[in-house]
Amino acid sequence: MAQRHLDPTDPAAAAPPPHPGSASAGTGTNATARGDAGAGPRADADTDALVGYLRAQATEFLRALRRHRESGTGAGTAPATGTATGAGTGPGARKGASAGAGTGTHAGAATRTGTGTHPGANGTYGGPDRAAPPADDVDAARALRRAARRISATLHTFQPLLDADWAEEMRPELAWLSGTLAMEHAYASRLERLLQALHRLSGSTAFPAPRPVGRSTVTTTVPPGVSTVPSVPAAAHPASANRGNLTVGAAKAGALLDRQLTLARTRAHSTALQALGSSRFHAVADKVALLASEVPLSSTGRGAAAAPRPDATPVDLRPLATAAQERLTDAVAALPLVTAGSPYNAEALVHGLSPDPAPHPQDAPWHQVRLLLRLHRYALEALAGAEAGEADDGVDVRLLAAGEALNRHRDAAEAAAAAAQAARTPRIAPATAYALGVLHADQRHEVEAARYAFQHSWRKEPIRLP
């Protein structure tokens, strides 16, 4: 199920670059929030702090781009072209384009990849013998997504201080890049989640392991006389007699999910490779390279960033960050937290397995709150400063726990939708359909548990760790 980038405002749904290690405040969507709704940011939370934060995130983006290029060229991708250090002539060869990333190259050419169509070309999935992509490659893609999310969120929250046309042009491009790079990992984690749930529900181990999608082939030599049949460990909880129908259909359900989600993962992998080699991505990378050296500000932002007069008042970022917090508070107030606070309320199972393939209607407000919470966290990061030496504000445990609960809510909702989609496959056996129905209900129970966890963490008083 493709991730949707909802509009966070929809009610329905020039300082030197900081230290290289300071651009990111966390890894993935469960990143640590620096600051909270009740804590004040540093005293100089003005336009200079915003410029420094955006430069830091642009620097991290370029550094991740270089890491992705270095890991990709040795793992089946075509080497980058036109990467003369600091000597490019195109628009990407800007002054300080690398901003500490150590490349000084055309930002777009850093990740040029081939577009072969034969199996295994450019690391596309060529069969179950493909190895997983290198850890550096996965980490680099994750860092690219993380930096793109933070830049896009900052452009949205503090747009009045930035050039309006530039910000409106950058935000959808960064959302496209982040979403495209996230799809392969999303399908892989969804398949793993569903297979583990089937194993837990049926007590059977006869499920196919998720097949990796990678860039290189691993050849294994088997000594003579050694059996190649994989050993299957004994089930921790053997299937009992009352699990008969579920156990019979679970293996076929797991095989069906494996086929569907592995195919989707393969397509997402190919799409990501094509995106990283496209002119659209090169244009985005060029703009981020410019951002690392110069942040386009509006007339209000430029007046505050320039040398102010003695009687001039610097532009404070806190009102804009407070507006983001208020949007989050209003969205949370519209959620059925009273119902979610009752364990085993079965609210998430009201609609059950519907023939309608549309997303679950009651999930959209929760997904919207997750996006608004992310905007709030990133605004706090910009206020507190992303420099490594300014992490004195500590961690707001409430925001961290709430974000983790909403991430689990999204994962469970998308897994339930994948199980429902598999159950709509024509001409499947009744036992297989039954197992998929039980799996769907299990994931909707996980949705309900995540809502309960969010309600429990959100109503707590803010707790700050040193």
Side-chain angles (χ1 to χ4, degrees):
M1 178 180 177
Q3 290 182 343
R4 296 183 304 160
H5 293 274
L6 304 177
D7 184 3
T9 61
D10 183 7
H19 188 276
S22 65
S24 172
T27 55
T29 56
N30 297 337
T32 299
R34 293 179 179 174
D36 58 64
R42 64 182 186 181
D44 57 338
D46 53 14
T47 309
D48 289 340
L50 174 63
V51 169
Y53 182 74
L54 283 173
R55 284 181 170 179
Q57 298 306 322
T59 300
E60 181 65 19
F61 183 96
L62 295 175
R63 185 179 299 109
L65 192 61
R66 182 189 180 195
R67 289 170 52 197
H68 190 279
R69 180 202 61 184
E70 292 175 346
S71 61
T73 53
T77 14
T81 59
T83 56
T85 57
T89 58
R94 312 291 185 184
K95 57 179 180 178
S98 61
T103 58
T105 66
H106 186 296
T111 56
R112 289 193 183 273
T113 59
T115 57
T117 57
H118 62 279
N122 309 316
T124 54
Y125 177 68
D129 57 343
R130 288 290 176 187
D136 291 344
D137 194 12
V138 175
D139 293 340
R142 185 180 295 114
L144 273 174
R145 290 161 41 204
R146 185 169 61 241
R149 287 198 309 265
R150 280 168 167 78
I151 294 174
S152 178
T154 305
L155 297 185
H156 171 79
T157 302
F158 301 103
Q159 184 173 354
L161 301 179
L162 302 167
D163 183 85
D165 295 336
W166 172 81
E168 285 297 329
E169 184 180 356
M170 278 287 290
R171 281 179 51 207
E173 296 301 296
L174 291 169
W176 161 77
L177 175 61
S178 177
T180 301
L181 295 179
M183 291 311 301
E184 180 183 353
H185 172 73
Y187 284 122
S189 60
R190 195 173 307 155
L191 175 59
E192 181 180 4
R193 179 188 186 95
L194 289 172
L195 293 183
Q196 289 179 352
L198 274 175
H199 167 71
R200 171 173 49 83
L201 292 169
S202 66
S204 172
T205 58
F207 301 125
R211 291 178 286 184
V213 176
R215 303 172 182 261
S216 60
T217 304
V218 177
T219 303
T220 304
T221 303
V222 181
V226 178
S227 174
T228 58
V229 179
S231 59
V232 179
H237 302 284
S240 56
N242 58 358
R243 289 184 177 178
N245 291 334
L246 179 59
T247 304
V248 170
K252 291 184 178 180
L256 177 60
L257 290 169
D258 178 68
R259 288 195 303 272
Q260 292 184 350
L261 293 178
T262 299
L263 176 61
R265 182 186 178 187
T266 302
R267 291 173 175 170
H269 182 75
S270 301
T271 301
L273 287 178
Q274 293 174 4
L276 291 176
S278 65
S279 58
R280 183 179 182 182
F281 171 73
H282 295 161
V284 174
D286 284 341
K287 292 176 182 178
V288 175
L290 280 176
L291 180 62
S293 58
E294 181 181 359
V295 177
L297 299 173
S298 64
S299 57
T300 303
R302 283 195 302 269
R309 299 186 306 273
D311 58 342
T313 302
V315 176
D316 195 351
L317 302 181
R318 281 169 285 200
L320 296 175
T322 302
Q325 176 192 344
E326 291 174 352
R327 290 194 294 268
L328 170 63
T329 304
D330 293 341
V332 172
L335 294 177
L337 293 184
V338 175
T339 302
S342 303
Y344 306 106
N345 56 77
E347 182 67 19
L349 290 169
V350 169
H351 298 282
L353 264 177
S354 169
D356 186 6
H360 215 283
Q362 59 178 255
D363 294 338
W366 296 87
H367 296 332
Q368 185 74 11
V369 169
R370 174 179 167 272
L371 297 181
L372 292 172
L373 178 60
R374 176 182 289 176
L375 287 178
H376 175 50
R377 278 180 28 228
Y378 295 164
L380 293 177
E381 289 182 9
L383 292 181
E387 298 180 7
E390 297 180 1
D392 298 332
D393 290 343
V395 180
D396 183 353
V397 180
R398 185 185 66 149
L399 286 182
L400 182 63
E404 291 176 346
L406 291 176
N407 287 336
R408 294 196 303 271
H409 178 276
R410 177 205 57 187
D411 295 342
E414 293 180 346
Q421 181 180 0
R424 299 186 189 100
T425 303
R427 297 183 299 275
I428 60 175
T432 305
Y434 173 74
L436 290 171
V438 173
L439 180 61
H440 175 272
D442 174 75
Q443 292 305 301
R444 294 307 301 180
H445 276 299
E446 293 291 333
V447 169
E448 176 188 310
R451 293 176 183 177
Y452 176 79
F454 173 81
Q455 185 272 347
H456 186 69
S457 62
W458 184 258
R459 292 186 180 276
K460 286 184 176 180
E461 293 295 327
I463 302 175
R464 303 182 55 76
L465 296 180

